[in-house]
């Protein structure tokens, strides 16, 4: 009997291998799937709308989000994410302590889906907070629903990265380090389901989307420290208007692993 | 500049009081160790003159805070 590469093969149970097992040393990692074999924590903590109680939701044996536990807990109501747990081992969990600002994962008893996997609807809610993630690169799986002014995916005291920033009518992916604001125009597909990638090296910012080539955007900070993820708490024009399934941060140059990490993400989420 | 539909307060204490009213109405937090500590939060219109505090409208706030109003909040130009 063959169930999967990390399930039961014959009479033997093969060990689970996650993205972070193959590409370790992430600064922080948030996902609707299990990313590391040794990670024993939950994926998310959810508040249900029926009575505002909270519970942790983990993974199935195959490493998927436990949707059954999620829908059982939420019943016919809605479910909101209070905590998105960091699977890197660094304990930098994302939290949102205000109910009206919490991202939604269940709507009227149905798990939100993007592509074929569960998805967390950020909407235009304020960002979730973390103690601080110092990073040089980010891999983001999600979707921008509406092009607004900012669509920041993270922000901190030194600046942040954005998915669909708008400069005098031109929309692009890029970053802002309080001095420089390089970006690459996204003429098409900017509201498609996408894998977005940012990498800071040699004091330059490099970006790409899906399997596309990496583009040098020029001068930029050597790293950033995010204290807000999912936007910038400067108003609804600066937050991510969309959904997210996975965000992985590395505090190192990921040029050599970029292709492999993207392939791993695309194999699971079937983005492009 | 953004047009906000919500509730405007001249002092931070007024905004805190409004937030506490919402927490009491919805019974937040349900348990002491819950992550969720408030039903709604307020924001500071730092760039406006005079400055003020405000809560963005949500339908759940209608029975507690009443009918919202529309007002302008100044935000810096993107990306700054």
């Amino acid at each position: 009997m063959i169930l999967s590469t990390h399930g039961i093969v014959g009479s033997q149970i093969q060990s689970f291998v996650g993205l972070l097992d193959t590409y370790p040393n992430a600064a922080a990692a948030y996902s609707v799937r299990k990313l590391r074999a040794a990670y024993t924590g939950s994926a998310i903590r959810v508040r249900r709308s029926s009575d505002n109680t909270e519970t942790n939701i983990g993974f199935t044996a195959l490493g998927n989000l436990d949707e059954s536990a999620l829908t059982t807990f939420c019943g016919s109501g809605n479910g909101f994410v209070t905590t998105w747990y960091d699977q890197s081992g660094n304990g930098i969990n994302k939290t949102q302590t205000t109910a009206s600002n919490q991202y939604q994962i269940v709507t009227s008893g149905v798990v939100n889906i993007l592509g074929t996997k569960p998805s967390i609807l950020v909407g235009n809610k304020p960002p979730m907070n973390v103690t601080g993630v110092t990073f040089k690169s980010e891999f983001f799986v999600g979707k921008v629903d509406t092009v607004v002014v900012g669509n920041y995916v993270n922000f901190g005291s030194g600046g942040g990265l954005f998915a669909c920033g708008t400069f005098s009518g031109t929309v692009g992916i890029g970053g802002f380090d309080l001095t420089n604001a390089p970006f690459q125009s996204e003429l098409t597909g900017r509201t498609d389901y996408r894998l977005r990638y940012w990498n800071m090296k040699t004091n330059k910012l490099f970006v790409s989307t899906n399997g596309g080539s990496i583009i040098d955007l020029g001068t930029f900070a050597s790293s950033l420290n995010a204290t807000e993820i999912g936007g910038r708490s400067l108003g609804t024009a600066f937050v991510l208007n969309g959904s997210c399934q996975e965000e992985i941060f590395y505090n190192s140059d990921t040029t050599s692993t970029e292709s492999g990490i993207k392939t791993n993400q695309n194999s699971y989420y079937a983005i492009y | 500049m953004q047009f906000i539909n919500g509730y405007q307060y001249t002092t931070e204490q007024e905004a805190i009081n409004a937030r506490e009213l919402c927490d009491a109405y919805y019974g937040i937090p349900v348990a002491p160790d819950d992550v969720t500590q408030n039903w709604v939060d307020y924001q500071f219109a730092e760039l406006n003159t005079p400055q003020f505090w405000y809560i963005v409208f949500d339908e759940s706030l209608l029975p507690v805070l009443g009918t919202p109003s529309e007002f302008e909040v100044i935000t810096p130009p993107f990306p700054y």
Side-chain angles (χ1 to χ4, degrees):
Chain A
M1 178 170 61
I2 299 175
L3 291 181
S4 81
T5 55
H6 45 272
I8 301 169
V9 177
S11 59
Q12 294 182 322
I13 298 175
Q14 289 194 338
S15 60
F16 172 89
V17 178
L19 184 151
L20 295 183
D21 294 308
T22 308
Y23 305 100
N25 303 316
Y30 313 93
S31 182
V32 295
R33 63 169 167 160
K34 186 171 178 173
L35 294 171
R36 191 163 59 89
Y39 180 70
T40 56
S42 299
I44 52 178
R45 186 172 179 83
V46 173
R47 174 182 62 85
R48 64 185 177 194
S49 60
S50 58
D51 61 2
N52 293 315
T53 59
E54 299 178 4
T55 196
N56 287 327
I57 301 295
F59 305 99
T60 66
L62 299 180
N64 300 310
L65 185 71
D66 191 343
E67 294 183 57
S68 176
L70 185 55
T71 51
T72 298
F73 175 68
C74 293
S76 59
N78 300 324
F80 300 91
V81 177
T82 70
T83 306
W84 201 346
Y85 292 103
D86 174 18
Q87 297 186 44
S88 74
N90 295 323
I92 309 174
N93 302 326
K94 294 197 286 187
T95 59
Q96 179 50 264
T97 61
T98 301
S100 62
N101 294 345
Q102 288 163 351
Y103 302 162
Q104 191 164 352
I105 188 159
V106 175
T107 305
S108 301
V110 178
V111 177
N112 295 342
I113 299 293
L114 183 57
T116 60
K117 305 296 183 185
S119 177
I120 294 174
L121 176 64
V122 176
N124 63 349
K125 305 279 184 70
M128 298 184 82
N129 300 305
V130 295
T131 54
V133 180
T134 300
F135 68 100
K136 290 181 178 295
S137 66
E138 175 177 356
F139 296 81
F140 175 93
V141 178
K143 183 180 183 303
V144 173
D145 291 330
T146 306
V147 174
V148 295
V149 172
N151 273 310
Y152 274 105
V153 294
N154 62 63
F155 205 81
S157 60
L161 305 175
F162 53 82
C164 280
T166 304
F167 297 82
S168 303
T170 302
V171 179
I173 176 175
F176 171 50
D177 65 0
L178 306 186
T179 301
N180 308 290
F183 80 109
Q184 170 66 30
S185 175
E186 288 187 297
L187 294 176
T188 59
R190 55 202 182 196
T191 57
D192 290 350
Y193 181 27
R194 277 188 163 181
L195 197 172
R196 288 179 164 88
Y197 169 67
W198 297 259
N199 189 32
M200 288 164 261
K201 65 172 183 176
T202 61
N203 283 103
K204 288 183 175 181
L205 179 63
F206 298 80
V207 299
S208 73
T209 55
N210 292 340
S213 58
I214 296 174
I215 301 165
D216 179 352
L217 298 186
T219 304
F220 201 69
S222 60
S223 67
L224 290 174
N225 182 268
T227 52
E228 302 172 334
I229 301 180
R232 176 183 180 186
S233 57
L234 197 59
T236 54
F238 291 81
V239 300
L240 179 65
N241 278 256
S243 298
C244 180
Q245 293 169 312
E246 189 164 288
E247 289 175 282
I248 302 176
F249 297 87
Y250 288 89
N251 193 22
S252 57
D253 170 23
T254 49
T255 301
S256 63
T257 53
E258 172 259 348
S259 176
I261 292 171
K262 281 183 173 179
T263 298
N264 183 297
Q265 291 182 307
N266 193 44
S267 294
Y268 185 78
Y269 292 102
I271 308 161
Y272 55 92
Chain B
M1 184 89 72
Q2 280 184 279
F3 285 96
I4 299 291
N5 190 32
Y7 307 92
Q8 197 172 355
Y9 305 98
T10 54
T11 69
E12 184 173 18
Q13 189 58 53
E14 288 176 331
I16 292 171
N17 293 344
R19 184 176 65 179
E20 288 178 348
L21 281 174
C22 297
D23 291 344
Y25 186 88
Y26 286 104
I28 297 291
V30 173
D33 60 346
D34 277 353
V35 174
T36 307
Q37 291 297 307
N38 296 109
W39 184 257
V40 71
D41 206 0
Y42 59 84
Q43 297 179 55
F44 184 36
E46 185 178 3
L47 299 180
N48 284 63
T49 304
Q51 296 174 327
F52 61 88
W53 288 259
Y54 65 97
I55 291 174
V56 177
F57 174 72
D58 179 283
E59 285 196 7
S60 69
L61 304 179
L62 265 177
V64 194
L65 302 181
T67 306
S69 61
E70 192 171 76
F71 47 89
E72 292 179 345
V73 174
I74 297 173
T75 54
F78 180 76
Y80 306 97

